[in-house]
Amino acid sequence: MREFLKAAWRNPEQIRAAFGSFCESAINSEPTSAHYALKALAQEKEVAIITENVDLLQQRTGIEPIFALSELLASVSEADWRQIDAIICIGLSHDDRGLLAWYKQQNPEGLLVAIDLKIPNYLSDNDYVCLGDLQEILSQLGNY
């Protein structure tokens, strides 16, 4: 965060332009086949999608994900966390919100499964990783 603030102070126009580009992309982009595959899997398996993304692409598929900072997640009981067998993390490089650490604390037997280009730092020896492009991997899960 400190480096970001230094960069913003030195070159505010560059930061403004990058943020403007992100906003324009979020407004004008369409969901990918991976977004639609997630929607179909969530509906078929009757599971929730939890997201940290603010681009609203998952919502454009017609499904409402739960935001990782949602009060709904904060209200889930410890007993409920223990009922969750696994959390699949897609394109999540690190657990910056602490949600996965909280899950593992409440449910030490729970599994984390990551789909990413490289092994994320939040996995333990008991967890799983599927290395590769998430767009390709999720699209291969079905004809979505």
Side-chain angles (χ1 to χ4, degrees):
M1 178 60 116
R2 181 173 282 169
E3 292 304 314
F4 172 79
L5 292 174
K6 285 180 184 178
W9 182 259
R10 289 184 194 126
N11 194 346
E13 183 57 31
Q14 182 181 14
I15 299 299
R16 189 214 53 79
F19 183 71
S21 176
F22 167 79
C23 290
E24 186 170 322
S25 176
I27 291 167
N28 295 324
S29 294
E30 293 296 320
T32 66
S33 59
H35 290 101
Y36 286 104
L38 280 176
K39 173 190 176 185
L41 289 169
Q43 290 175 328
E44 183 179 316
K45 300 296 182 185
E46 297 180 8
V47 297
I49 295 174
I50 301 171
T51 188
E52 293 183 340
N53 294 347
V54 295
D55 59 18
L56 303 178
L57 292 174
Q58 195 64 61
Q59 289 85 334
R60 289 187 191 138
T61 67
I63 197 165
E64 288 296 322
I66 300 167
F67 283 98
L69 296 177
S70 167
E71 288 184 19
L72 176 64
L73 286 181
S75 69
V76 175
S77 73
E78 291 178 16
D80 289 337
W81 282 111
R82 287 190 290 277
Q83 296 298 313
I84 299 172
D85 296 326
I87 294 179
I88 301 171
C89 306
I90 302 168
L92 183 66
S93 60
H94 57 284
D95 184 22
D96 62 341
R97 305 273 190 242
L99 178 66
L100 301 177
W102 172 252
Y103 167 67
K104 288 294 230 175
Q105 183 180 10
Q106 302 309 309
N107 187 353
E109 301 301 316
L111 295 175
L112 297 176
V113 179
I115 301 174
D116 212 324
L117 292 172
K118 61 182 183 175
I119 298 173
N121 63 3
Y122 54 78
L123 295 180
S124 73
D125 292 339
N126 298 328
D127 296 323
Y128 297 93
V129 65
C130 179
L131 294 175
D133 183 284
L134 65 93
Q135 295 292 332
E136 294 174 13
I137 292 168
L138 290 175
S139 295
Q140 291 174 6
L141 293 176
N143 296 323
Y144 307 113

Coordinates of all heavy atoms in Angstrom, one line a residue, residues 26-79:
A26 N -14.5 -2.7 -16.9 CA -15.5 -3.4 -16.1 C -16.9 -3.0 -16.6 O -17.8 -3.9 -16.6 CB -15.4 -2.9 -14.6
I27 N -17.1 -1.8 -17.1 CA -18.4 -1.4 -17.7 C -18.7 -2.1 -19.0 O -19.8 -2.5 -19.3 CB -18.4 0.1 -17.8 CG1 -18.5 0.7 -16.4 CG2 -19.6 0.6 -18.6 CD1 -18.2 2.2 -16.3
N28 N -17.6 -2.2 -19.9 CA -17.8 -2.6 -21.2 C -17.5 -4.1 -21.5 O -17.9 -4.5 -22.6 CB -17.0 -1.7 -22.2 CG -17.5 -0.3 -22.1 OD1 -18.6 0.0 -22.0 ND2 -16.5 0.6 -22.2
S29 N -16.9 -4.8 -20.6 CA -16.5 -6.2 -20.9 C -17.7 -7.1 -20.7 O -18.7 -6.8 -20.0 CB -15.4 -6.6 -19.9 OG -14.3 -5.9 -20.2
E30 N -17.7 -8.2 -21.4 CA -18.7 -9.2 -21.3 C -18.1 -10.4 -20.6 O -16.9 -10.7 -20.6 CB -19.1 -9.7 -22.7 CG -19.8 -8.6 -23.5 CD -21.2 -8.2 -22.9 OE1 -21.9 -9.1 -22.4 OE2 -21.5 -7.0 -22.9
P31 N -19.0 -11.2 -19.9 CA -18.5 -12.4 -19.2 C -17.8 -13.4 -20.2 O -18.2 -13.4 -21.3 CB -19.8 -13.0 -18.6 CG -20.8 -11.9 -18.6 CD -20.4 -11.0 -19.7
T32 N -16.9 -14.1 -19.7 CA -16.2 -15.1 -20.5 C -16.9 -16.4 -20.3 O -17.8 -16.6 -19.5 CB -14.7 -15.2 -20.0 OG1 -14.7 -15.8 -18.7 CG2 -14.0 -13.9 -20.0
S33 N -16.4 -17.4 -21.1 CA -17.0 -18.7 -21.0 C -16.7 -19.3 -19.6 O -17.6 -20.1 -19.1 CB -16.4 -19.7 -22.1 OG -15.0 -19.7 -21.9
A34 N -15.7 -18.9 -18.9 CA -15.4 -19.3 -17.6 C -16.5 -18.8 -16.6 O -16.9 -19.5 -15.7 CB -14.0 -18.9 -17.1
H35 N -16.9 -17.6 -16.8 CA -18.0 -17.0 -15.9 C -19.2 -17.8 -16.1 O -19.9 -18.2 -15.1 CB -18.2 -15.6 -16.3 CG -17.2 -14.6 -15.9 ND1 -16.2 -14.1 -16.8 CD2 -16.8 -14.1 -14.7 CE1 -15.4 -13.3 -16.2 NE2 -15.7 -13.3 -14.9
Y36 N -19.6 -18.2 -17.3 CA -20.8 -19.0 -17.6 C -20.6 -20.4 -17.1 O -21.6 -21.0 -16.6 CB -21.1 -18.9 -19.1 CG -21.7 -17.6 -19.5 CD1 -21.0 -16.7 -20.2 CD2 -23.0 -17.2 -19.1 CE1 -21.5 -15.5 -20.6 CE2 -23.5 -16.0 -19.5 CZ -22.8 -15.1 -20.2 OH -23.3 -13.9 -20.6
A37 N -19.4 -20.9 -17.2 CA -19.2 -22.3 -16.6 C -19.4 -22.3 -15.1 O -20.0 -23.2 -14.5 CB -17.8 -22.8 -17.0
L38 N -18.9 -21.2 -14.4 CA -19.1 -21.1 -13.0 C -20.6 -21.0 -12.6 O -21.0 -21.7 -11.7 CB -18.4 -19.9 -12.4 CG -16.9 -20.0 -12.2 CD1 -16.3 -18.7 -11.8 CD2 -16.6 -21.1 -11.2
K39 N -21.3 -20.2 -13.4 CA -22.7 -20.1 -13.2 C -23.4 -21.5 -13.3 O -24.2 -21.9 -12.4 CB -23.4 -19.1 -14.2 CG -24.9 -19.1 -14.1 CD -25.5 -18.4 -15.2 CE -27.0 -18.4 -15.1 NZ -27.7 -17.8 -16.2
A40 N -23.1 -22.2 -14.3 CA -23.8 -23.5 -14.6 C -23.4 -24.5 -13.5 O -24.2 -25.2 -13.0 CB -23.4 -24.0 -15.9
L41 N -22.1 -24.5 -13.1 CA -21.7 -25.4 -12.0 C -22.3 -25.1 -10.7 O -22.8 -26.0 -9.9 CB -20.2 -25.4 -11.9 CG -19.4 -26.1 -13.0 CD1 -17.9 -25.8 -12.9 CD2 -19.6 -27.6 -13.0
A42 N -22.4 -23.8 -10.4 CA -23.0 -23.4 -9.1 C -24.5 -23.8 -9.1 O -25.0 -24.2 -8.1 CB -22.9 -21.9 -8.9
Q43 N -25.2 -23.6 -10.2 CA -26.6 -24.0 -10.2 C -26.8 -25.5 -10.2 O -27.6 -26.0 -9.5 CB -27.3 -23.4 -11.5 CG -27.4 -21.9 -11.4 CD -27.9 -21.3 -12.7 OE1 -27.7 -21.8 -13.8 NE2 -28.7 -20.2 -12.5
E44 N -26.0 -26.2 -10.9 CA -26.1 -27.7 -11.0 C -25.8 -28.3 -9.6 O -26.4 -29.2 -9.2 CB -25.1 -28.2 -12.0 CG -25.2 -29.7 -12.2 CD -24.3 -30.2 -13.3 OE1 -24.2 -29.6 -14.3 OE2 -23.6 -31.2 -13.0
K45 N -24.7 -27.8 -9.0 CA -24.3 -28.4 -7.7 C -24.9 -27.7 -6.5 O -24.7 -28.1 -5.3 CB -22.8 -28.3 -7.5 CG -22.1 -29.1 -8.6 CD -22.3 -30.6 -8.6 CE -21.6 -31.3 -9.6 NZ -21.9 -32.7 -9.7
E46 N -25.7 -26.6 -6.7 CA -26.4 -25.9 -5.7 C -25.4 -25.4 -4.6 O -25.5 -25.6 -3.4 CB -27.5 -26.7 -5.0 CG -28.6 -27.0 -6.0 CD -29.7 -27.8 -5.3 OE1 -29.7 -28.0 -4.1 OE2 -30.6 -28.2 -6.1
V47 N -24.3 -24.7 -5.2 CA -23.3 -24.1 -4.3 C -23.2 -22.6 -4.6 O -23.6 -22.1 -5.6 CB -21.9 -24.8 -4.5 CG1 -22.0 -26.3 -4.2 CG2 -21.4 -24.6 -6.0
A48 N -22.6 -21.9 -3.7 CA -22.4 -20.5 -3.8 C -21.1 -20.1 -4.4 O -20.1 -20.8 -4.3 CB -22.5 -19.8 -2.4
I49 N -21.1 -19.0 -5.1 CA -19.9 -18.4 -5.6 C -19.5 -17.2 -4.7 O -20.4 -16.4 -4.4 CB -20.0 -17.9 -7.1 CG1 -20.3 -19.0 -8.0 CG2 -18.8 -17.1 -7.5 CD1 -20.6 -18.6 -9.4
I50 N -18.3 -17.2 -4.2 CA -17.8 -16.1 -3.4 C -16.8 -15.4 -4.2 O -15.9 -16.1 -4.8 CB -17.2 -16.6 -2.0 CG1 -18.3 -17.4 -1.2 CG2 -16.7 -15.5 -1.2 CD1 -17.7 -18.1 0.0
T51 N -16.9 -14.1 -4.3 CA -16.0 -13.4 -5.1 C -15.4 -12.2 -4.4 O -15.9 -11.7 -3.5 CB -16.7 -12.9 -6.4 OG1 -15.7 -12.4 -7.3 CG2 -17.7 -11.9 -6.1
E52 N -14.2 -11.8 -4.9 CA -13.6 -10.5 -4.5 C -13.6 -9.6 -5.6 O -13.2 -8.4 -5.5 CB -12.1 -10.8 -4.1 CG -12.0 -11.6 -2.8 CD -10.5 -11.8 -2.4 OE1 -9.6 -11.6 -3.2 OE2 -10.3 -12.1 -1.2
N53 N -14.0 -10.0 -6.8 CA -14.0 -9.2 -8.0 C -15.1 -8.1 -7.9 O -16.2 -8.4 -7.5 CB -14.2 -10.0 -9.3 CG -13.0 -10.9 -9.5 OD1 -12.0 -10.8 -8.9 ND2 -13.2 -11.9 -10.4
V54 N -14.8 -6.9 -8.4 CA -15.8 -5.8 -8.5 C -16.2 -5.5 -9.9 O -16.8 -4.5 -10.1 CB -15.2 -4.6 -7.7 CG1 -15.1 -4.9 -6.2 CG2 -13.9 -4.1 -8.3
D55 N -15.8 -6.3 -10.8 CA -16.1 -6.0 -12.3 C -17.5 -6.4 -12.7 O -17.9 -6.0 -13.8 CB -15.1 -6.7 -13.2 CG -15.1 -8.2 -13.0 OD1 -16.0 -8.8 -12.5 OD2 -14.1 -8.8 -13.4
L56 N -18.3 -7.0 -11.8 CA -19.6 -7.4 -12.1 C -19.9 -8.4 -13.2 O -21.0 -8.6 -13.7 CB -20.5 -6.2 -12.2 CG -20.5 -5.2 -11.1 CD1 -21.4 -3.9 -11.4 CD2 -20.9 -5.8 -9.8
L57 N -18.8 -9.0 -13.7 CA -18.9 -9.9 -14.8 C -19.7 -11.2 -14.4 O -20.5 -11.7 -15.2 CB -17.6 -10.3 -15.4 CG -16.8 -9.1 -16.1 CD1 -15.4 -9.6 -16.5 CD2 -17.6 -8.7 -17.3
Q58 N -19.5 -11.7 -13.2 CA -20.2 -12.9 -12.8 C -21.7 -12.5 -12.7 O -22.6 -13.3 -13.1 CB -19.7 -13.4 -11.4 CG -20.2 -14.8 -11.1 CD -19.7 -15.8 -12.1 OE1 -18.5 -16.0 -12.3 NE2 -20.6 -16.5 -12.8
Q59 N -22.1 -11.3 -12.2 CA -23.5 -10.9 -12.1 C -24.1 -10.8 -13.5 O -25.3 -11.1 -13.6 CB -23.6 -9.6 -11.4 CG -23.3 -9.6 -9.9 CD -21.8 -9.5 -9.6 OE1 -20.9 -9.8 -10.4 NE2 -21.5 -9.0 -8.4
R60 N -23.3 -10.5 -14.5 CA -23.9 -10.4 -15.9 C -24.3 -11.7 -16.4 O -25.0 -11.8 -17.5 CB -22.9 -9.6 -16.8 CG -22.8 -8.2 -16.4 CD -22.0 -7.4 -17.5 NE -21.7 -6.1 -16.9 CZ -20.5 -5.5 -17.0 NH1 -19.5 -6.0 -17.6 NH2 -20.4 -4.3 -16.4
T61 N -23.8 -12.8 -15.8 CA -24.3 -14.1 -16.3 C -25.6 -14.5 -15.7 O -26.2 -15.5 -16.1 CB -23.3 -15.2 -15.8 OG1 -23.3 -15.4 -14.4 CG2 -21.9 -15.0 -16.3
G62 N -26.1 -13.7 -14.8 CA -27.4 -14.0 -14.2 C -27.4 -14.6 -12.8 O -28.4 -15.1 -12.3
I63 N -26.2 -14.7 -12.2 CA -26.1 -15.3 -10.9 C -25.5 -14.2 -10.0 O -24.7 -13.4 -10.4 CB -25.2 -16.5 -10.9 CG1 -25.4 -17.3 -9.7 CG2 -23.8 -16.2 -11.2 CD1 -24.9 -18.8 -9.8
E64 N -25.9 -14.2 -8.7 CA -25.4 -13.2 -7.8 C -24.4 -13.9 -6.8 O -24.8 -14.6 -5.9 CB -26.6 -12.6 -7.0 CG -27.4 -11.7 -7.7 CD -26.7 -10.4 -8.2 OE1 -25.9 -9.9 -7.5 OE2 -27.0 -10.0 -9.3
P65 N -23.1 -13.6 -7.0 CA -22.1 -14.1 -6.1 C -22.2 -13.4 -4.7 O -22.7 -12.3 -4.6 CB -20.8 -13.9 -6.8 CG -21.1 -12.7 -7.6 CD -22.5 -12.8 -8.0
I66 N -21.6 -14.0 -3.7 CA -21.5 -13.4 -2.4 C -20.1 -12.7 -2.4 O -19.1 -13.3 -2.7 CB -21.5 -14.4 -1.3 CG1 -22.9 -15.2 -1.4 CG2 -21.3 -13.8 0.1 CD1 -22.9 -16.4 -0.5
F67 N -20.0 -11.5 -2.0 CA -18.8 -10.8 -1.9 C -18.0 -11.2 -0.7 O -18.6 -11.4 0.4 CB -18.9 -9.3 -1.9 CG -19.2 -8.7 -3.3 CD1 -20.5 -8.5 -3.7 CD2 -18.2 -8.5 -4.2 CE1 -20.8 -8.0 -5.0 CE2 -18.4 -8.1 -5.5 CZ -19.8 -7.8 -5.9
A68 N -16.7 -11.4 -0.8 CA -15.9 -11.9 0.3 C -16.0 -11.1 1.5 O -15.8 -11.6 2.6 CB -14.4 -12.1 -0.2
L69 N -16.2 -9.8 1.4 CA -16.4 -8.9 2.6 C -17.8 -8.8 3.0 O -18.1 -7.9 3.9 CB -15.8 -7.5 2.2 CG -14.3 -7.5 1.9 CD1 -13.8 -6.1 1.6 CD2 -13.5 -8.1 3.1
S70 N -18.7 -9.6 2.6 CA -20.1 -9.5 2.9 C -20.4 -9.8 4.4 O -19.7 -10.7 5.0 CB -20.9 -10.5 2.0 OG -22.2 -10.7 2.5
E71 N -21.4 -9.1 4.9 CA -21.8 -9.4 6.3 C -22.4 -10.8 6.3 O -22.4 -11.4 7.4 CB -22.8 -8.4 6.7 CG -22.2 -7.0 7.0 CD -23.2 -6.0 7.5 OE1 -24.3 -6.4 8.0 OE2 -22.9 -4.8 7.5
L72 N -22.9 -11.3 5.2 CA -23.5 -12.7 5.2 C -22.4 -13.7 5.6 O -22.6 -14.6 6.4 CB -24.0 -13.0 3.8 CG -24.5 -14.4 3.6 CD1 -25.7 -14.7 4.5 CD2 -24.9 -14.6 2.1
L73 N -21.2 -13.5 5.1 CA -20.1 -14.5 5.4 C -19.7 -14.3 6.9 O -19.4 -15.3 7.6 CB -18.9 -14.2 4.5 CG -19.0 -14.8 3.1 CD1 -17.7 -14.5 2.3 CD2 -19.3 -16.2 3.1
A74 N -19.7 -13.1 7.4 CA -19.4 -12.9 8.8 C -20.4 -13.5 9.7 O -20.1 -13.8 10.9 CB -19.3 -11.4 9.0
S75 N -21.6 -13.7 9.2 CA -22.7 -14.3 10.1 C -22.7 -15.8 10.0 O -23.5 -16.4 10.8 CB -24.0 -13.7 9.7 OG -24.4 -14.2 8.4
V76 N -21.9 -16.4 9.2 CA -21.9 -17.9 9.1 C -21.2 -18.5 10.4 O -20.2 -18.0 10.9 CB -21.1 -18.4 7.9 CG1 -20.9 -19.9 7.9 CG2 -21.7 -17.9 6.6
S77 N -21.9 -19.4 11.0 CA -21.5 -20.0 12.3 C -20.3 -20.9 12.1 O -20.0 -21.4 11.0 CB -22.6 -20.7 13.0 OG -22.8 -22.0 12.3
E78 N -19.6 -21.1 13.2 CA -18.4 -22.0 13.2 C -18.9 -23.4 12.8 O -18.2 -24.1 12.0 CB -17.7 -22.1 14.5 CG -17.0 -20.8 14.8 CD -16.4 -20.7 16.2 OE1 -16.2 -21.8 16.8 OE2 -16.0 -19.6 16.7
A79 N -20.0 -23.8 13.2 CA -20.6 -25.2 12.9 C -20.9 -25.2 11.4 O -20.6 -26.3 10.7 CB -21.8 -25.5 13.7

